[in-house]
Structures are given as structure tokens and as C-alpha cells.
Coordinates of all heavy atoms in Angstrom, one line a residue:
M1 N 0.8 -1.2 0.0 CA 0.1 0.0 0.0 C 0.8 1.2 0.0 O 1.8 1.4 0.9 CB -0.9 0.0 1.3 CG -2.0 1.0 1.2 SD -3.2 0.8 0.0 CE -4.0 2.4 0.0
M2 N 0.6 2.1 -0.9 CA 1.5 3.3 -1.0 C 0.8 4.4 -0.2 O -0.3 4.6 -0.1 CB 1.5 3.8 -2.5 CG 2.3 2.9 -3.4 SD 2.6 3.8 -4.9 CE 3.4 5.2 -4.3
T3 N 1.8 5.2 0.6 CA 1.3 6.3 1.2 C 1.4 7.5 0.1 O 1.9 7.3 -1.0 CB 2.2 6.7 2.3 OG1 3.5 6.7 1.9 CG2 2.1 5.6 3.4
S4 N 0.9 8.6 0.5 CA 0.8 9.8 -0.4 C 2.3 10.3 -0.6 O 3.0 10.5 0.3 CB 0.0 10.9 0.1 OG 0.1 12.0 -0.7
L5 N 2.6 10.5 -1.8 CA 3.9 10.9 -2.3 C 3.8 12.4 -2.8 O 4.8 12.9 -3.2 CB 4.5 10.1 -3.3 CG 4.9 8.7 -2.8 CD1 5.3 7.8 -4.0 CD2 6.0 8.7 -1.8
A6 N 2.6 13.0 -2.8 CA 2.5 14.2 -3.4 C 3.4 15.3 -2.8 O 3.4 15.4 -1.6 CB 1.0 14.6 -3.3
G7 N 4.1 15.8 -3.6 CA 5.0 17.0 -3.2 C 6.2 16.6 -2.4 O 7.0 17.4 -2.1
V8 N 6.5 15.3 -2.3 CA 7.7 14.8 -1.6 C 8.9 15.2 -2.5 O 9.0 14.9 -3.6 CB 7.7 13.3 -1.3 CG1 9.0 13.0 -0.8 CG2 6.6 13.0 -0.3
S9 N 9.8 15.9 -1.9 CA 11.0 16.4 -2.6 C 12.1 15.3 -2.7 O 12.4 14.7 -1.6 CB 11.6 17.7 -2.0 OG 11.9 18.6 -3.0
E10 N 12.7 15.1 -3.8 CA 13.8 14.2 -3.9 C 14.9 14.9 -4.7 O 14.6 16.0 -5.4 CB 13.4 12.9 -4.8 CG 12.4 12.1 -4.0 CD 12.0 10.9 -4.8 OE1 12.4 10.8 -6.0 OE2 11.1 10.1 -4.4
A11 N 16.1 14.4 -4.7 CA 17.2 15.1 -5.4 C 16.9 15.2 -6.8 O 17.2 16.2 -7.4 CB 18.5 14.3 -5.2
A12 N 16.2 14.2 -7.4 CA 16.0 14.1 -8.8 C 14.8 14.9 -9.3 O 14.5 15.0 -10.4 CB 15.9 12.7 -9.3
G13 N 13.9 15.4 -8.3 CA 12.8 16.0 -8.6 C 11.7 15.7 -7.7 O 12.0 15.2 -6.6
T14 N 10.6 16.2 -8.0 CA 9.4 16.0 -7.1 C 8.6 14.9 -7.6 O 8.4 14.7 -8.7 CB 8.6 17.4 -7.1 OG1 9.4 18.4 -6.7 CG2 7.5 17.3 -6.1
T15 N 7.9 14.2 -6.6 CA 7.0 13.1 -7.0 C 5.6 13.6 -6.7 O 5.3 14.0 -5.7 CB 7.3 11.8 -6.1 OG1 8.6 11.4 -6.5 CG2 6.3 10.8 -6.5
Y16 N 4.8 13.4 -7.7 CA 3.4 13.7 -7.7 C 2.5 12.5 -7.8 O 3.0 11.5 -8.5 CB 3.0 14.7 -8.8 CG 3.6 16.0 -8.7 CD1 4.9 16.3 -9.3 CD2 3.0 17.1 -8.0 CE1 5.5 17.6 -9.2 CE2 3.5 18.3 -7.9 CZ 4.8 18.6 -8.5 OH 5.4 19.8 -8.3
Q17 N 1.4 12.5 -7.3 CA 0.5 11.4 -7.4 C -0.8 11.7 -8.0 O -1.4 12.7 -7.7 CB 0.2 10.9 -5.9 CG -0.6 9.6 -5.8 CD -0.7 9.1 -4.4 OE1 0.3 8.4 -4.0 NE2 -1.8 9.3 -3.8
I18 N -1.2 10.9 -9.0 CA -2.6 10.9 -9.5 C -3.3 9.7 -9.1 O -2.9 8.6 -9.3 CB -2.4 11.1 -11.1 CG1 -1.8 12.3 -11.5 CG2 -3.9 11.0 -11.7 CD1 -1.5 12.4 -13.1
V19 N -4.5 9.9 -8.5 CA -5.3 8.9 -8.0 C -6.3 8.5 -9.1 O -7.0 9.4 -9.6 CB -5.9 9.2 -6.7 CG1 -6.9 8.1 -6.2 CG2 -4.9 9.4 -5.5
I20 N -6.4 7.3 -9.4 CA -7.5 6.8 -10.3 C -8.5 6.2 -9.4 O -8.3 5.2 -8.8 CB -7.0 5.8 -11.3 CG1 -5.7 6.2 -11.9 CG2 -8.1 5.5 -12.3 CD1 -5.0 5.2 -12.8
E21 N -9.7 6.8 -9.4 CA -10.8 6.3 -8.5 C -12.1 6.7 -9.1 O -12.3 7.9 -9.6 CB -10.6 7.0 -7.2 CG -11.4 6.4 -6.1 CD -11.0 6.8 -4.7 OE1 -10.5 8.0 -4.6 OE2 -11.1 6.0 -3.8
Q22 N -13.0 5.8 -9.2 CA -14.4 6.0 -9.6 C -14.4 6.5 -11.0 O -15.0 7.4 -11.5 CB -15.2 7.0 -8.8 CG -15.4 6.4 -7.3 CD -16.2 7.2 -6.4 OE1 -16.5 8.5 -6.8 NE2 -16.6 6.7 -5.3
M23 N -13.5 5.8 -11.9 CA -13.3 6.1 -13.3 C -12.9 7.5 -13.6 O -13.3 8.1 -14.7 CB -14.8 5.8 -14.0 CG -15.3 4.5 -13.8 SD -14.5 3.3 -14.9 CE -15.1 3.8 -16.5
R24 N -12.1 8.1 -12.7 CA -11.6 9.4 -12.9 C -10.1 9.5 -12.6 O -9.6 8.8 -11.7 CB -12.3 10.4 -12.1 CG -13.8 10.7 -12.5 CD -14.3 12.0 -11.8 NE -15.7 12.2 -12.1 CZ -16.7 11.7 -11.6 NH1 -16.5 11.0 -10.4 NH2 -17.9 11.9 -11.9
F25 N -9.4 10.4 -13.2 CA -8.1 10.7 -12.9 C -8.1 12.0 -12.0 O -8.7 13.0 -12.4 CB -7.2 11.1 -14.1 CG -7.0 9.8 -15.0 CD1 -7.6 9.8 -16.3 CD2 -6.1 8.8 -14.7 CE1 -7.5 8.7 -17.1 CE2 -5.9 7.8 -15.5 CZ -6.6 7.7 -16.8
N26 N -7.5 11.9 -10.9 CA -7.6 13.1 -9.9 C -6.2 13.4 -9.4 O -5.6 12.6 -8.7 CB -8.5 12.7 -8.7 CG -8.7 13.9 -7.8 OD1 -8.6 15.0 -8.2 ND2 -8.9 13.5 -6.5
P27 N -5.7 14.6 -9.7 CA -6.3 15.7 -10.4 C -6.3 15.4 -11.9 O -5.4 14.7 -12.4 CB -5.5 16.8 -10.1 CG -4.1 16.3 -10.0 CD -4.3 15.0 -9.2
P28 N -7.4 15.9 -12.7 CA -7.4 15.6 -14.1 C -6.4 16.3 -14.9 O -6.0 15.8 -16.0 CB -8.9 16.0 -14.5 CG -9.3 16.9 -13.4 CD -8.6 16.5 -12.1
V29 N -6.0 17.4 -14.4 CA -4.8 18.1 -15.1 C -3.8 18.3 -14.0 O -4.0 18.8 -12.9 CB -5.3 19.5 -15.6 CG1 -4.2 20.2 -16.3 CG2 -6.5 19.3 -16.6
L30 N -2.6 18.0 -14.3 CA -1.4 18.1 -13.4 C -0.3 18.7 -14.1 O 0.0 18.3 -15.3 CB -1.0 16.7 -12.9 CG 0.2 16.7 -11.9 CD1 -0.1 17.4 -10.6 CD2 0.7 15.3 -11.6
T31 N 0.3 19.8 -13.5 CA 1.5 20.4 -14.1 C 2.8 20.1 -13.2 O 2.7 20.2 -12.0 CB 1.3 22.0 -14.1 OG1 0.1 22.3 -14.9 CG2 2.5 22.7 -14.7
V32 N 3.8 19.6 -13.9 CA 5.0 19.3 -13.3 C 6.2 19.9 -14.0 O 5.9 20.6 -15.0 CB 5.1 17.7 -13.3 CG1 4.0 17.0 -12.6 CG2 5.4 17.2 -14.6
H33 N 7.3 19.7 -13.5 CA 8.5 20.2 -14.1 C 9.3 19.0 -14.7 O 9.3 17.9 -14.1 CB 9.4 21.0 -13.2 CG 8.8 22.3 -12.8 ND1 7.9 22.5 -11.8 CD2 8.7 23.5 -13.5 CE1 7.6 23.8 -11.7 NE2 8.0 24.4 -12.9
R34 N 10.2 19.2 -15.6 CA 11.0 18.2 -16.2 C 11.9 17.6 -15.1 O 12.3 18.2 -14.2 CB 12.0 18.8 -17.2 CG 11.4 19.1 -18.6 CD 12.3 19.7 -19.5 NE 13.7 19.1 -19.5 CZ 14.9 19.7 -19.8 NH1 14.8 21.0 -20.0 NH2 16.0 19.0 -19.8
G35 N 12.0 16.2 -15.0 CA 12.7 15.5 -14.0 C 11.7 15.0 -12.9 O 12.2 14.3 -12.0
D36 N 10.5 15.6 -12.9 CA 9.6 15.2 -11.8 C 9.1 13.8 -12.1 O 8.9 13.4 -13.3 CB 8.4 16.2 -11.6 CG 8.9 17.4 -11.0 OD1 10.0 17.5 -10.5 OD2 8.1 18.5 -11.1
R37 N 8.6 13.1 -11.0 CA 8.1 11.8 -11.2 C 6.5 11.8 -11.0 O 6.1 12.5 -10.0 CB 8.6 10.7 -10.2 CG 8.1 9.3 -10.3 CD 8.8 8.4 -9.3 NE 10.3 8.3 -9.6 CZ 10.7 7.4 -10.5 NH1 9.9 6.6 -11.1 NH2 12.0 7.3 -10.8
V38 N 5.8 11.2 -11.8 CA 4.3 11.1 -11.6 C 3.9 9.7 -11.3 O 4.4 8.8 -12.1 CB 3.6 11.6 -12.9 CG1 2.0 11.7 -12.7 CG2 4.1 13.0 -13.2
V39 N 3.2 9.4 -10.3 CA 2.8 8.1 -9.9 C 1.2 8.0 -10.1 O 0.6 8.8 -9.5 CB 3.1 7.8 -8.6 CG1 2.7 6.3 -8.2 CG2 4.7 7.9 -8.3
W40 N 0.8 7.1 -10.9 CA -0.7 6.9 -11.1 C -0.9 5.8 -10.1 O -0.4 4.7 -10.2 CB -1.1 6.5 -12.4 CG -1.2 7.7 -13.4 CD1 -2.4 8.4 -13.7 CD2 -0.2 8.3 -14.1 NE1 -2.1 9.3 -14.6 CE2 -0.8 9.3 -14.9 CE3 1.3 8.1 -14.2 CZ2 0.0 10.1 -15.8 CZ3 2.0 8.9 -15.2 CH2 1.3 9.9 -15.8
V41 N -1.9 5.9 -9.1 CA -2.3 4.9 -8.2 C -3.8 4.5 -8.5 O -4.7 5.4 -8.5 CB -2.2 5.4 -6.8 CG1 -2.7 4.3 -5.8 CG2 -0.8 5.9 -6.6
N42 N -4.0 3.2 -8.7 CA -5.4 2.7 -9.1 C -6.1 2.2 -7.9 O -5.7 1.3 -7.3 CB -5.2 1.6 -10.1 CG -6.6 1.1 -10.6 OD1 -7.7 1.7 -10.2 ND2 -6.7 0.1 -11.3
K43 N -7.1 3.0 -7.5 CA -7.8 2.7 -6.3 C -9.2 2.1 -6.7 O -10.1 2.0 -5.8 CB -8.0 3.8 -5.4 CG -6.7 4.3 -4.8 CD -6.8 5.4 -3.7 CE -5.4 5.6 -3.0 NZ -5.5 6.7 -2.0
D44 N -9.4 1.9 -8.0 CA -10.7 1.1 -8.4 C -10.5 -0.3 -8.3 O -9.4 -0.9 -8.0 CB -11.0 1.6 -9.8 CG -11.9 2.8 -9.9 OD1 -12.6 3.0 -8.9 OD2 -11.9 3.5 -11.0
L45 N -11.5 -1.0 -8.5 CA -11.5 -2.5 -8.2 C -11.2 -3.2 -9.6 O -11.3 -4.5 -9.7 CB -12.8 -3.0 -7.8 CG -13.3 -2.4 -6.4 CD1 -14.7 -2.8 -6.0 CD2 -12.2 -2.9 -5.3
F46 N -10.8 -2.5 -10.6 CA -10.5 -3.1 -12.0 C -9.4 -2.3 -12.6 O -9.1 -1.1 -12.2 CB -11.8 -3.1 -12.9 CG -12.7 -1.8 -12.7 CD1 -12.4 -0.6 -13.4 CD2 -13.8 -1.9 -11.7 CE1 -13.2 0.4 -13.2 CE2 -14.5 -0.7 -11.5 CZ -14.2 0.5 -12.3
P47 N -8.8 -2.9 -13.6 CA -7.6 -2.2 -14.2 C -7.9 -0.9 -14.9 O -9.0 -0.8 -15.5 CB -7.0 -3.2 -15.1 CG -7.8 -4.5 -14.8 CD -9.0 -4.2 -14.2
H48 N -7.0 -0.1 -15.0 CA -7.0 1.1 -15.8 C -5.6 1.3 -16.5 O -4.6 0.7 -16.1 CB -7.3 2.4 -15.1 CG -8.7 2.4 -14.5 ND1 -9.8 2.5 -15.2 CD2 -9.1 2.4 -13.2 CE1 -10.8 2.5 -14.4 NE2 -10.5 2.4 -13.2
T49 N -5.6 2.2 -17.5 CA -4.2 2.6 -18.0 C -4.2 4.1 -18.1 O -5.1 4.8 -17.9 CB -4.0 2.1 -19.5 OG1 -4.7 3.0 -20.4 CG2 -4.6 0.7 -19.7
A50 N -2.9 4.5 -18.1 CA -2.7 6.0 -18.3 C -1.8 6.0 -19.7 O -0.6 5.7 -19.6 CB -1.9 6.6 -17.2
T51 N -2.4 6.4 -20.8 CA -1.8 6.2 -22.0 C -1.8 7.5 -22.8 O -2.9 8.0 -23.1 CB -2.5 5.1 -22.9 OG1 -2.6 3.9 -22.2 CG2 -1.8 5.0 -24.2
G52 N -0.6 8.1 -23.0 CA -0.5 9.3 -23.7 C -1.1 9.1 -25.1 O -0.8 8.2 -25.8
I53 N -1.9 10.2 -25.5 CA -2.5 10.0 -26.8 C -1.5 10.1 -27.9 O -1.6 9.5 -29.0 CB -3.7 11.1 -26.9 CG1 -4.8 10.8 -26.0 CG2 -4.1 11.4 -28.4 CD1 -5.8 11.9 -25.8
S54 N -0.4 10.9 -27.7 CA 0.7 10.9 -28.5 C 1.7 9.8 -28.4 O 2.7 9.8 -29.0 CB 1.5 12.2 -28.3 OG 2.1 12.2 -27.1
K55 N 1.3 8.8 -27.5 CA 2.1 7.6 -27.1 C 3.5 8.0 -26.4 O 4.4 7.3 -26.4 CB 2.5 6.8 -28.4 CG 1.2 6.4 -29.1 CD 0.5 5.3 -28.3 CE -0.8 4.9 -29.1 NZ -1.8 4.3 -28.1
A56 N 3.5 9.2 -25.8 CA 4.7 9.7 -25.1 C 4.9 8.8 -23.9 O 6.1 8.6 -23.5 CB 4.5 11.1 -24.6
F57 N 3.9 8.2 -23.4 CA 4.0 7.3 -22.3 C 2.8 6.3 -22.3 O 1.8 6.6 -22.9 CB 4.1 7.9 -20.9 CG 3.0 8.9 -20.7 CD1 1.8 8.4 -20.1 CD2 3.0 10.2 -21.0 CE1 0.7 9.3 -19.8 CE2 2.1 11.2 -20.7 CZ 0.9 10.7 -20.1
D58 N 2.9 5.1 -21.7 CA 1.8 4.2 -21.6 C 2.1 3.2 -20.5 O 3.1 2.6 -20.4 CB 1.9 3.3 -23.0 CG 0.6 2.5 -23.0 OD1 -0.1 2.5 -22.0 OD2 0.4 1.8 -24.1
S59 N 1.2 3.3 -19.6 CA 1.3 2.4 -18.3 C 1.0 1.0 -18.6 O 1.5 0.2 -17.8 CB 0.4 3.0 -17.3 OG -0.9 2.6 -17.6
H60 N 0.3 0.7 -19.7 CA -0.4 -0.5 -19.9 C -1.2 -0.7 -18.6 O -1.4 0.2 -17.8 CB 0.6 -1.6 -20.1 CG 1.4 -1.4 -21.3 ND1 1.0 -1.7 -22.6 CD2 2.7 -1.0 -21.4 CE1 1.9 -1.3 -23.4 NE2 3.0 -0.9 -22.7
A61 N -1.9 -1.9 -18.4 CA -2.9 -2.1 -17.4 C -2.3 -1.9 -16.0 O -1.3 -2.5 -15.7 CB -3.7 -3.4 -17.5
I62 N -2.9 -1.0 -15.2 CA -2.6 -0.9 -13.8 C -3.6 -1.7 -13.0 O -4.8 -1.4 -13.1 CB -2.5 0.6 -13.4 CG1 -1.6 1.4 -14.3 CG2 -2.0 0.7 -11.9 CD1 -1.7 2.8 -14.1
S63 N -3.1 -2.7 -12.3 CA -4.1 -3.5 -11.5 C -4.6 -2.8 -10.4 O -4.1 -1.8 -10.0 CB -3.4 -4.8 -11.0 OG -2.8 -5.6 -12.1
P64 N -5.7 -3.2 -9.8 CA -6.3 -2.6 -8.7 C -5.3 -2.6 -7.5 O -4.5 -3.5 -7.3 CB -7.5 -3.4 -8.2 CG -7.9 -4.1 -9.6 CD -6.7 -4.2 -10.3
N65 N -5.2 -1.4 -6.8 CA -4.2 -1.3 -5.7 C -2.8 -1.3 -6.2 O -1.9 -1.3 -5.2 CB -4.4 -2.3 -4.7 CG -5.6 -2.0 -3.8 OD1 -5.7 -0.8 -3.4 ND2 -6.4 -3.0 -3.5
A66 N -2.6 -1.2 -7.5 CA -1.1 -1.1 -7.9 C -0.9 0.3 -8.4 O -1.9 1.2 -8.5 CB -0.9 -2.1 -9.1
S67 N 0.3 0.6 -8.8 CA 0.6 2.0 -9.3 C 1.7 1.9 -10.4 O 2.3 0.7 -10.6 CB 1.2 2.9 -8.1 OG 2.4 2.3 -7.7
W68 N 1.8 3.0 -11.2 CA 2.7 3.0 -12.2 C 3.4 4.4 -12.2 O 2.7 5.4 -12.0 CB 2.1 2.8 -13.5 CG 3.0 2.8 -14.8 CD1 3.9 1.9 -15.1 CD2 3.2 3.9 -15.7 NE1 4.6 2.3 -16.2 CE2 4.2 3.5 -16.6 CE3 2.6 5.1 -15.8 CZ2 4.6 4.3 -17.7 CZ3 2.9 5.9 -17.0 CH2 3.9 5.5 -17.9
S69 N 4.7 4.5 -12.3 CA 5.3 5.8 -12.2 C 6.1 6.2 -13.5 O 6.5 5.2 -14.3 CB 6.2 6.0 -11.0 OG 7.4 5.3 -11.3
Y70 N 6.2 7.4 -13.8 CA 6.8 7.9 -15.0 C 7.6 9.2 -14.7 O 7.0 10.1 -14.0 CB 5.5 8.2 -16.0 CG 6.0 9.0 -17.3 CD1 6.8 8.3 -18.2 CD2 5.6 10.3 -17.5 CE1 7.1 9.1 -19.5 CE2 6.0 11.0 -18.6 CZ 6.7 10.4 -19.5 OH 7.0 11.1 -20.7
V71 N 8.7 9.3 -15.2 CA 9.5 10.5 -15.0 C 9.3 11.3 -16.2 O 9.7 11.0 -17.4 CB 11.0 10.2 -14.7 CG1 11.9 11.5 -14.6 CG2 11.1 9.4 -13.5
A72 N 8.9 12.5 -16.1 CA 8.7 13.4 -17.2 C 9.9 14.1 -17.6 O 10.6 14.8 -16.9 CB 7.7 14.6 -16.7
R73 N 10.3 13.8 -18.8 CA 11.6 14.3 -19.4 C 11.5 15.4 -20.4 O 12.6 16.1 -20.6 CB 12.4 13.1 -19.9 CG 12.8 12.0 -19.0 CD 13.9 12.3 -18.2 NE 14.2 11.3 -17.2 CZ 14.9 11.5 -16.0 NH1 15.1 12.7 -15.6 NH2 15.2 10.4 -15.3
K74 N 10.4 15.5 -21.0 CA 10.3 16.5 -22.1 C 9.2 17.4 -21.8 O 8.1 17.0 -21.5 CB 10.0 15.6 -23.4 CG 11.1 15.9 -24.5 CD 10.6 15.2 -25.7 CE 10.5 16.1 -26.9 NZ 10.0 15.6 -28.1
T75 N 9.4 18.7 -22.1 CA 8.3 19.7 -21.9 C 7.2 19.5 -22.9 O 7.4 18.9 -24.0 CB 8.8 21.0 -22.0 OG1 9.4 21.4 -23.3 CG2 9.9 21.4 -20.9
G76 N 6.0 19.9 -22.6 CA 4.8 19.8 -23.4 C 3.6 19.5 -22.7 O 3.6 19.3 -21.5
S77 N 2.5 19.4 -23.4 CA 1.2 19.1 -22.8 C 0.8 17.8 -23.4 O 0.8 17.6 -24.6 CB 0.2 20.2 -23.3 OG -1.1 19.9 -22.7
Y78 N 0.5 16.8 -22.5 CA 0.3 15.4 -22.9 C -1.1 15.0 -22.4 O -1.2 14.5 -21.3 CB 1.4 14.5 -22.2 CG 2.7 14.9 -22.7 CD1 3.6 15.7 -22.0 CD2 3.3 14.4 -23.9 CE1 4.8 16.1 -22.3 CE2 4.5 14.8 -24.3 CZ 5.4 15.6 -23.5 OH 6.6 15.9 -23.9
P79 N -2.0 15.1 -23.3 CA -3.3 14.5 -23.0 C -3.2 13.0 -22.9 O -2.5 12.4 -23.7 CB -4.3 14.9 -24.2 CG -3.5 16.0 -24.9 CD -2.1 15.8 -24.7
Y80 N -3.9 12.4 -22.0 CA -3.8 11.0 -22.0 C -5.3 10.4 -21.6 O -6.2 11.1 -21.3 CB -2.8 10.5 -20.9 CG -3.1 10.8 -19.5 CD1 -3.8 10.0 -18.6 CD2 -2.7 12.1 -19.0 CE1 -4.1 10.4 -17.4 CE2 -2.9 12.4 -17.6 CZ -3.6 11.5 -16.8 OH -3.9 11.9 -15.6
L81 N -5.3 9.1 -21.8 CA -6.7 8.4 -21.6 C -6.4 7.0 -21.0 O -5.3 6.5 -20.9 CB -7.5 8.4 -22.8 CG -7.0 7.8 -24.2 CD1 -6.7 6.4 -24.0 CD2 -7.9 8.1 -25.3
C82 N -7.5 6.4 -20.6 CA -7.4 5.0 -20.3 C -7.9 4.3 -21.4 O -9.1 4.4 -21.9 CB -8.4 4.8 -19.0 SG -8.6 3.0 -18.7
T83 N -7.1 3.4 -22.0 CA -7.4 2.7 -23.2 C -8.6 1.7 -23.0 O -9.2 1.2 -23.9 CB -6.2 2.0 -23.8 OG1 -5.7 1.0 -22.8 CG2 -5.2 2.9 -24.3
L84 N -8.8 1.3 -21.8 CA -9.9 0.4 -21.4 C -11.2 1.0 -21.2 O -12.2 0.4 -21.3 CB -9.5 -0.4 -20.0 CG -8.1 -1.1 -20.1 CD1 -7.8 -1.7 -18.8 CD2 -8.2 -2.2 -21.2
H85 N -11.2 2.4 -20.9 CA -12.4 3.2 -20.7 C -12.1 4.5 -21.3 O -11.6 5.3 -20.6 CB -12.8 3.4 -19.2 CG -12.7 2.1 -18.4 ND1 -11.5 1.8 -17.7 CD2 -13.6 1.0 -18.3 CE1 -11.7 0.6 -17.1 NE2 -13.0 0.1 -17.5
T86 N -12.4 4.7 -22.7 CA -11.8 5.8 -23.3 C -12.4 7.1 -23.0 O -12.0 8.1 -23.5 CB -11.8 5.6 -24.8 OG1 -13.1 5.2 -25.3 CG2 -10.9 4.4 -25.2
T87 N -13.5 7.1 -22.1 CA -14.0 8.4 -21.8 C -13.2 9.0 -20.5 O -13.4 10.1 -20.2 CB -15.5 8.3 -21.2 OG1 -15.6 7.3 -20.2 CG2 -16.4 7.9 -22.4
M88 N -12.3 8.1 -20.0 CA -11.5 8.6 -18.9 C -10.3 9.4 -19.5 O -9.4 8.8 -20.1 CB -10.9 7.5 -18.0 CG -12.0 6.7 -17.3 SD -11.3 5.3 -16.4 CE -10.0 6.0 -15.3
R89 N -10.1 10.7 -19.2 CA -9.2 11.5 -19.7 C -8.5 12.3 -18.8 O -9.1 12.7 -17.7 CB -9.9 12.5 -20.8 CG -10.7 11.8 -21.9 CD -9.9 11.6 -23.1 NE -10.6 10.7 -24.0 CZ -10.3 10.7 -25.3 NH1 -9.4 11.5 -25.9 NH2 -11.0 9.8 -26.1
G90 N -7.2 12.7 -19.1 CA -6.5 13.6 -18.2 C -5.4 14.2 -19.0 O -5.3 13.9 -20.2
T91 N -4.7 15.2 -18.4 CA -3.6 15.9 -19.1 C -2.5 16.1 -18.1 O -2.6 16.5 -17.0 CB -4.1 17.3 -19.6 OG1 -5.2 17.2 -20.4 CG2 -3.0 18.0 -20.4
L92 N -1.3 15.7 -18.6 CA -0.1 15.9 -17.9 C 0.7 17.1 -18.6 O 0.9 17.0 -19.9 CB 0.8 14.7 -17.9 CG 2.1 14.9 -17.2 CD1 2.0 15.2 -15.7 CD2 3.0 13.7 -17.5
I93 N 0.9 18.1 -17.9 CA 1.7 19.3 -18.5 C 3.1 19.3 -17.9 O 3.3 19.3 -16.7 CB 1.0 20.6 -18.2 CG1 -0.5 20.6 -18.9 CG2 1.8 21.8 -18.7 CD1 -1.4 21.7 -18.4
V94 N 4.1 19.3 -18.8 CA 5.5 19.3 -18.3 C 6.2 20.6 -18.7 O 6.1 20.9 -19.9 CB 6.2 18.1 -18.9 CG1 7.7 18.1 -18.3 CG2 5.5 16.8 -18.6
Q95 N 6.7 21.4 -17.7 CA 7.2 22.7 -17.9 C 8.7 22.6 -17.9 O 9.3 21.8 -17.1 CB 6.7 23.6 -16.9 CG 5.2 23.9 -17.1 CD 4.7 25.0 -16.1 OE1 5.2 25.2 -15.0 NE2 3.6 25.6 -16.5
Ligands
LIG1 CU1 -10.0 2.7 -17.2

């Protein structure tokens, strides 16, 4: 079980958490800086993905109670969705 990592500072950058719960990414829009780590935590009872529409990143299926992390290396705005439930959308902004 992961504890909240939001805002925890590390030498390599900050770690942010996006919670997947009730078919939503929370927060739906997250702004980070290059080198920061983003952790998606699935609190639903079924798998989800966090898949960049531009394919910049792809978690593949994240099991219930599991998480997936990604270090943002390139600036830009990255809309993403869950490929298993395509109405689930979010945006990762890297500055
Ligand atoms: Cu999903």
C-alpha cells in the first residue's frame, strides 16, 4: 500500500500522485517540471491505463491497488486516456 507521495521532494525532482478512482483521474490536469516523477495509483476494483494520446507514455494495465510511475523528461502538454475506458481523460503538462 502506497502512502501519499504528493509533493515529496527528492534530489532528482518532485514526486506527484494521480489517484485513479471511480473512473476518474484526480487531479485531471497536473502540471510538473522536467525531471519530476508522476505516480498513477489505481484505487478502483478493476484495471486502468494511463496512455498518452501521442504515445509519449503508456502504463499498460494498472491492476487494482497497484501503481505506475513515469519520469517526465520532455516539456509539453500530454493529454492521456485510459485505453480500457476511453471516456477517462487527463492531461499531464510538463514545464
Ligand atoms: Cu480505465
Side-chain angles (χ1 to χ4, degrees):
M1 188 70 196
M2 290 196 54
T3 53
S4 173
L5 294 172
V8 172
S9 218
E10 292 175 3
T14 301
T15 297
Y16 293 88
Q17 183 171 283
I18 296 173
V19 174
I20 311 172
E21 195 165 30
Q22 296 181 351
M23 303 283 290
R24 287 193 185 89
F25 296 106
N26 184 29
V29 179
L30 177 67
T31 301
V32 304
H33 291 93
R34 282 174 51 208
D36 289 346
R37 180 179 295 273
V38 182
V39 182
W40 282 263
V41 180
N42 183 7
K43 295 192 174 172
D44 269 336
L45 300 174
F46 36 86
H48 293 295
T49 81
T51 305
I53 288 167
S54 66
K55 303 294 179 199
F57 55 86
D58 187 359
S59 68
H60 302 284
I62 306 169
S63 300
N65 281 314
S67 65
W68 180 75
S69 77
Y70 169 72
V71 176
R73 296 285 182 207
K74 242 186 115 184
T75 57
S77 179
Y78 300 96
Y80 64 90
L81 52 66
C82 171
T83 58
L84 305 173
H85 314 97
T86 54
T87 57
M88 292 175 61
R89 306 261 169 163
T91 303
L92 177 66
I93 298 167
V94 184
Q95 294 183 335

